[in-house]
Amino acid sequence: MTAKTKQPVVYGDDLPITAFQIKRIRQNCNFDEDIKEEWVQWVTGDVNRTSLKSLTQAQAVKIIRQQTGEPQPKEQTVNFGTFDLKNQKHKLILSLVRQNQWTKQHSRHGEVADMDGAFASWLQSDRSPVNKPLLKMTPEETEKVIKALGGVVSSKYKKR
C-alpha cells in the first residue's frame, strides 16, 4: 500500500481561496453564516455573492486583515522621476532639471536634482509631452521629454 501525498497549495493573488483561508475567515466570524456572507459581499462589492469559494486569495487576505485589525498593505506607487544613471539621455534630463533649478538638499550630496518631486510632478502634468514613468519611456518618448524640458529651461532664461 502506497501513501498518497497531498498536493502543495499554490499561492497567488488571483488564484481561488485556500482551505486554510476559508477556515480562518469562518473562525473569525465565530462560524456565523450571516456575518461570513456580509464579509464576502463587502470584499466583492456584490450583494448576490455569499460563498467564500467564489473569492480569490487576495480577497480572502483582505477580509482576514480587516477582521484581525492588521493594516492593509499600501499600494506601491511608481516614482515617475526614477532614472538610470547609465543612460546618457537620463543624464541629460538630470542636467536639464538642475538648469531649471528644480533642486533639493540632500544630506550627503548637497544640492541635487529634484527628480522625485518637481520633475516627477512635471512629468505627470499636462505640460509634459509624455505622461509615464521615465524608466518606462521609449527612446523616442525620452527625446520628446528632453526637447520639452529644454524649452522650459530656455524660456526661463529668456525672461531674465
Side-chain angles (χ1 to χ4, degrees):
M1 183 170 159
T2 57
K4 281 189 171 179
T5 56
K6 197 173 184 184
Q7 289 293 319
V9 177
V10 179
Y11 294 100
D13 288 346
D14 56 336
L15 294 175
I17 191 170
T18 65
F20 173 80
Q21 290 173 320
I22 290 172
K23 186 176 179 183
R24 174 58 57 87
I25 291 170
R26 296 194 79 235
Q27 281 176 336
N28 291 342
C29 294
N30 293 324
F31 300 96
D32 185 322
E33 203 60 26
D34 291 335
I35 294 172
K36 184 257 319 175
E37 288 176 1
E38 284 187 34
W39 280 111
V40 172
Q41 292 169 352
W42 169 75
V43 80
T44 61
D46 183 354
V47 293
N48 297 319
R49 282 170 92 175
T50 57
S51 172
L52 287 172
K53 291 191 179 205
S54 69
L55 302 180
T56 64
Q57 290 178 19
Q59 290 171 322
V61 167
K62 189 172 181 179
I63 289 174
I64 293 168
R65 284 194 165 152
Q66 194 70 28
Q67 288 175 329
T68 60
E70 189 178 329
Q72 299 293 342
K74 292 185 171 67
E75 287 190 28
Q76 293 286 334
T77 56
V78 176
N79 184 349
F80 274 55
T82 302
F83 61 97
D84 178 8
L85 200 52
K86 294 177 182 139
N87 184 324
Q88 292 301 315
K89 290 182 180 183
H90 290 193
K91 283 183 181 179
L92 178 55
I93 289 173
L94 206 61
S95 170
L96 290 168
V97 169
R98 285 191 60 102
Q99 289 174 48
N100 204 31
Q101 298 173 345
W102 292 344
T103 58
K104 64 180 181 179
Q105 284 303 116
H106 188 276
S107 58
R108 191 172 34 173
H109 303 293
E111 191 176 61
V112 297
D114 189 8
M115 298 300 285
D116 56 348
F119 175 68
S121 295
W122 178 81
L123 262 185
Q124 295 174 65
S125 75
D126 294 337
R127 294 183 178 126
S128 173
V130 181
N131 296 115
K132 66 177 7 175
L134 185 57
L135 290 177
K136 295 196 189 250
M137 289 185 194
T138 64
E140 294 79 26
E141 291 171 329
T142 307
E143 280 296 326
K144 286 181 183 178
V145 168
I146 290 169
K147 189 172 181 180
L149 263 179
V152 171
V153 171
S154 66
S155 72
K156 188 172 206 162
Y157 287 103
K158 274 185 185 174
K159 292 178 185 174
R160 290 182 176 191

